[in-house]
Amino acid sequence: MSLARLGQVAGSVAQVVAPLSVLTALLFYFGYASSRARYLYFGVDVDTIGLSTQDYVMRSPEPLLTPLLVLALLAIVVAVVHERVLRRVQAALADAKDADPEVAASARHRLDRGSRRARAVVVTGDALLLVGVLLLVAFPLWGGWVYYTLVTPLLMAAGAGLALYGRRIARSLEPGQLPSGLVTVVLSVLLVISVFWATATFAEWSGRGAAREVARHLDRLPAVILDTTERLSLTSSGVRESALPPSEGQTFRYRYRDLRLLIQGEDRLFLVPETWDASNSTLVVPMDDSVRLQFRFVNDPP
């Protein structure tokens, strides 16, 4: 194989691998943000669980489903609106070159009206973007607002999107106008960053909401019976402790019931009481010879 052919193959591989790497990194981040908020609700730092990159990627579809659906619907709406606007612009530009003075004058009037509307869209976008930037600057004052991390990026994303689209339509209505490349690049970067920020915020909210749903129905988690060699002196309410009868060769002395499996880490289990209480805590159990676990059947006769 020649060096030129090798270069072509390497370029093709790079074009595929680079987007996949970026996509994997994004899925990992959103899965991590959602999982962190979810298990922090139970007092557990997700880094102590030992989840792998694949685990976080597999957990990313749940928090990303709603944002992706919203973005898809917005893309459809923008595409439909843009098609209609572009069709009218092209028709007006064609009529402006017509030999009939009345047709040309009517077309120029439509073009002027379209230019005013495009400028209004740009002004609206700039105003929304300015409000978002002001909220960003006012973080020390407004940062405690519960909706701050969602409203701010949404305002900036809407403003940047409207400003970009308005400028594009204005350039199409005035073919001689020079494109402002720097402004377009800055607005595009702001749009991408704002969408990323809003999606990350929604991922955190999704994880916290999923945690609250689990906490409302802890009895749906796998039931666990835990035997230990030493007394645990648990502070959580609702967990039943009983002493095992001594026998020859018996190393386990205490049994704990009404525990549920929250999640299994790399080398440990995270157990929670069967009923939620503000004073409860998550029990971390190593998977070694110091404990014995039994997973109970679901109370649903076949």
Side-chain angles (χ1 to χ4, degrees):
M1 183 179 292
S2 64
L3 292 177
R5 181 58 178 169
L6 283 174
Q8 293 177 357
V9 172
S12 301
V13 171
Q15 290 178 358
V16 175
V17 172
L20 285 178
S21 300
V22 173
L23 178 61
T24 302
L26 289 174
L27 292 176
F28 170 83
Y29 176 79
F30 293 126
Y32 177 85
S34 176
S35 299
R36 182 177 180 82
R38 178 169 185 166
Y39 295 110
L40 191 60
Y41 183 83
F42 295 97
V44 179
D45 188 341
V46 72
D47 293 330
T48 64
I49 299 176
L51 298 177
S52 65
T53 300
Q54 183 179 0
D55 293 327
Y56 289 121
V57 172
M58 294 295 291
R59 284 169 166 77
S60 62
E62 180 180 356
L64 287 181
L65 180 60
T66 299
L68 288 178
L69 288 176
V70 171
L71 288 176
L73 291 175
L74 284 177
I76 293 173
V77 171
V78 170
V80 172
V81 172
H82 179 67
E83 184 180 0
R84 295 183 61 182
V85 171
L86 189 62
R87 194 160 50 236
R88 291 184 179 184
V89 169
Q90 291 175 346
L93 289 174
D95 291 343
K97 301 177 182 178
D98 197 284
D100 190 336
E102 293 185 0
V103 174
S106 176
R108 285 194 295 271
H109 176 70
R110 296 202 306 272
L111 290 174
D112 291 338
R113 186 173 56 187
S115 296
R116 289 194 297 271
R117 291 179 177 177
R119 287 193 292 270
V121 171
V122 173
V123 170
T124 302
D126 291 342
L128 291 176
L129 188 58
L130 179 61
V131 173
V133 172
L134 290 176
L135 282 174
L136 193 62
V137 174
F139 175 78
L141 298 175
W142 290 83
W145 183 33
V146 63
Y147 298 109
Y148 176 88
T149 55
L150 185 63
V151 172
T152 302
L154 287 180
L155 283 174
M156 295 180 66
L162 289 175
L164 278 171
Y165 187 71
R167 283 175 168 81
R168 178 177 179 180
I169 297 301
R171 286 197 300 270
S172 65
L173 291 170
E174 303 173 11
Q177 183 180 1
L178 294 176
S180 51
L182 180 59
V183 175
T184 301
V185 170
V186 172
L187 289 175
S188 300
V189 171
L190 283 176
L191 178 61
V192 172
I193 293 176
S194 301
V195 170
F196 179 87
W197 183 7
T199 306
T201 298
F202 187 85
E204 293 180 3
W205 287 10
S206 174
R208 196 174 299 116
R212 289 195 176 100
E213 179 65 21
V214 170
R216 282 192 290 265
H217 305 284
L218 288 172
D219 56 335
R220 298 179 182 176
L221 297 175
V224 178
I225 298 176
L226 173 66
D227 295 341
T228 62
T229 57
E230 298 180 355
R231 188 172 186 178
L232 299 180
S233 299
L234 298 179
T235 59
S236 299
S237 61
V239 180
R240 290 183 294 165
E241 177 189 275
S242 59
L244 295 174
S247 61
E248 185 178 355
Q250 174 67 270
T251 59
F252 297 99
R253 301 169 56 195
Y254 297 94
R255 172 162 293 174
Y256 296 89
R257 297 178 180 270
D258 299 332
L259 288 170
R260 299 282 172 161
L261 175 63
L262 178 64
I263 187 173
Q264 177 180 342
E266 184 177 2
D267 57 355
R268 65 194 73 180
L269 299 175
F270 295 81
L271 308 178
V272 292
E274 196 170 73
T275 55
W276 185 90
D277 189 273
S279 63
N280 286 350
S281 57
T282 301
L283 175 64
V284 183
V285 178
M287 291 190 293
D288 55 26
D289 296 337
S290 63
V291 298
R292 181 172 61 191
L293 296 168
Q294 300 178 57
F295 290 92
R296 291 170 47 200
F297 284 1
V298 176
N299 188 13
D300 184 15

